[in-house]
Structure formats: C-alpha cells, structure tokens
C-alpha cells in the first residue's frame, strides 16, 4: 500500500541522453515536490507544484524540467544529463492549508550517468 | 536565509541512548521535523514538533526544542541495530507544507554491538 511511488528505482543513462523519472501518489495531495539528493548532502529542492502552479527554485538548472498532467502524477525530465546529475531523486507530496506540513516521500530513483 | 546544520556521524553502543543534534537559523520556523532514511530508501517521517513546544515524547523518541538557541535534538532510548540509518533534521517556514522543507545533511547513526 505504497502511497508515493517512483519509477524506475534505478536508471542508468548515457551522458547527454534525456531521461524521465516518474512519480505517482494515491494520497490526493495537492502539492508535489522533486528533491535531488547527493551522497552526504542535504536533499535539495528542485521545484514543486502547488496544484497546477509550477514553482522553480532559483538555482535549479534549466536542464531540469517537470510536468504534472494531473493530481496523481508528476514527472522529472532531465534534458541532457551530465555526470554531475548523478544522484538520488526523491519525489514527495503534502497537503497545503494547515496541518503539520509533513512531506510524504517515495523510495527514490537513483540515476547513474555513464 | 535558511540553513540547517547537523554533525555527519554518531556512533553509539547497542542499548545506549543516542542523541542527535541540529541547529537551524530561521526563527520563523513553524514546524521542525526528524526524518529517517535507511539505505537505498526514501525519507520517512519519525516525528515533528511545533515551534511553541519545548518537548515531545513518542515511545523511544524524545524531541527537545530550544527556540532561543535554535537547537533541536532527537534522543533515541535503548538504541537497537534497526535504528542504524541517516537522520535528517528539517524545518518548515510556512507550516502548511506548500514551500517544502529545508533539510540538514543528515547524521549517520552507527550502532556498535
């Protein structure tokens, strides 16, 4: 009964070859996030969707894009992966409008760039 | 600006208490959280504390918040091998979760037999 599901769990791509990571949720949360996590570093927020509104962090490279076709799904597109983009990518959801602000995370997608 | 600091490693003996510390910079934080990450997995919420509280206890976990010093700690009583993981401190400014959380780098908890 996983609530935030990420696919694939492991992705290997070649330098410069586009890759798409997917995230789906059964929680009906209106906010969805993508974080990048490198070894021994804090998870770094790339962007988030508040309902249909896209919010990009100021330092997120243009190489990273996102789509949210409906409430349940969100995609992370990396247009031309570089070696420095190898990382764990974490999708998370939350419900806005009060409450504890807890984020619910998926298991992550580990990207390797050859 | 937002910044969350944690030490990278903590080693304790099985059965002892573990205390993981965190400092944050933004006094506007409304909620503070502790997340646990096991190898190859996502982050799982362990516990949280609202900024107007000093302490919260939940079974083996005790969270202490010193708002004046902007210091948060997580105490795990009777540490077990299953507690071996990375523990992340995080803060939320909005409380409603819409802007996401700011995380520390995580503390690797190592359990010695």
């Amino acid at each position: 009964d996983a609530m935030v599901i990420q696919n694939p769990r492991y992705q290997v791509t070649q330098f410069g070859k586009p890759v798409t990571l997917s995230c789906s949720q059964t929680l009906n949360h209106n906010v969805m996030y993508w974080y990048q996590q490198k070894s021994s570093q804090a998870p770094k927020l790339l962007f988030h969707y508040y309902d249909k509104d896209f919010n990009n962090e100021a330092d997120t490279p243009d190489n990273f894009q996102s789509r949210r076709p409906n409430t349940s799904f969100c995609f992370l597109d990396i247009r031309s992966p570089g070696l420095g983009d190898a990382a764990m990518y974490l999708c998370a959801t939350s419900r806005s409008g009060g409450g504890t602000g807890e984020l619910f995370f998926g298991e992550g997608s580990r990207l390797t760039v050859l | 600006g937002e910044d969350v600091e944690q030490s990278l490693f903590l080693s304790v003996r099985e059965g002892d208490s573990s205390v993981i510390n965190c400092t944050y910079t933004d006094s506007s934080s409304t909620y503070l959280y502790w997340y646990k990450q096991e190898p190859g997995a996502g982050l799982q919420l362990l516990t949280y504390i609202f900024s107007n509280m000093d302490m919260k206890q939940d079974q083996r976990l005790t969270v202490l918040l010193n708002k004046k010093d902007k210091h948060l700690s997580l105490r795990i009583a009777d540490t077990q091998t299953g507690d071996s993981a990375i523990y992340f401190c995080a803060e939320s400014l909005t409380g409603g979760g819409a802007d996401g959380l700011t995380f520390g780098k995580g503390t690797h908890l190592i359990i010695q037999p």
Side-chain angles (χ1 to χ4, degrees):
Chain A
D1 53 339
M3 296 177 288
V4 182
I5 302 166
Q6 292 188 240
N7 282 299
R9 293 291 312 278
Y10 301 92
Q11 175 73 59
V12 180
T13 191
Q14 292 178 331
F15 182 94
K17 187 173 181 182
V19 68
T20 294
L21 306 176
S22 77
C23 178
S24 64
Q25 54 131 338
T26 60
L27 298 163
N28 203 32
H29 283 169
N30 63 322
V31 192
M32 294 186 77
Y33 310 81
W34 281 104
Y35 280 85
Q36 179 192 61
Q37 185 185 21
K38 296 186 178 181
S39 181
S40 297
Q41 294 187 24
K44 178 180 177 300
L45 182 63
L46 295 173
F47 26 58
H48 73 277
Y49 273 94
Y50 188 118
D51 297 321
K52 295 181 180 178
D53 294 333
F54 178 70
N55 297 272
N56 199 29
E57 293 299 301
D59 56 354
T60 298
D62 292 340
N63 199 23
F64 292 86
Q65 304 285 323
S66 186
R67 297 169 283 136
R68 189 180 186 187
N70 54 53
T71 301
S72 301
F73 284 86
C74 196
F75 299 96
L76 170 62
D77 301 308
I78 308 176
R79 292 193 297 191
S80 181
L83 297 178
D85 298 327
M88 174 80 94
Y89 290 88
L90 298 167
C91 174
T93 73
S94 74
R95 181 184 291 121
S96 68
T100 65
E102 175 187 354
L103 265 60
F104 293 78
F105 283 85
E107 294 283 284
S109 293
R110 181 165 294 283
L111 177 67
T112 300
V113 181
L114 301 177
Chain B
E2 305 161 16
D3 203 6
V4 179
E5 299 285 341
Q6 305 176 238
S7 48
L8 287 183
F9 295 96
L10 175 67
S11 178
V12 298
R13 290 188 183 275
E14 189 175 359
D16 287 351
S17 291
S18 306
V19 180
I20 303 171
N21 294 300
C22 168
T23 57
Y24 60 97
T25 54
D26 201 314
S27 57
S28 315
S29 297
T30 53
Y31 283 94
L32 295 132
Y33 310 82
W34 285 104
Y35 277 82
K36 177 182 181 182
Q37 186 179 35
E38 297 183 354
L43 276 68
Q44 177 188 8
L45 180 70
L46 273 182
T47 187
Y48 65 90
I49 188 167
F50 189 48
S51 59
N52 69 354
M53 297 170 65
D54 298 324
M55 186 182 89
K56 180 178 180 182
Q57 188 151 4
D58 183 3
Q59 299 183 330
R60 291 192 298 126
L61 305 179
T62 303
V63 178
L64 295 177
L65 175 60
N66 182 330
K67 204 172 177 186
K68 175 177 169 290
D69 294 338
K70 300 193 187 93
H71 183 267
L72 182 74
S73 69
L74 173 69
R75 179 177 179 268
I76 306 173
D78 186 25
T79 308
Q80 303 298 309
T81 54
D83 296 324
S84 179
I86 305 174
Y87 291 81
F88 290 90
C89 174
E91 63 176 350
S92 168
L93 300 183
T94 61
D99 292 336
L101 306 183
T102 300
F103 289 88
K105 291 185 178 181
T107 299
H108 293 243
L109 180 60
I110 300 162
I111 316 299
Q112 298 177 7

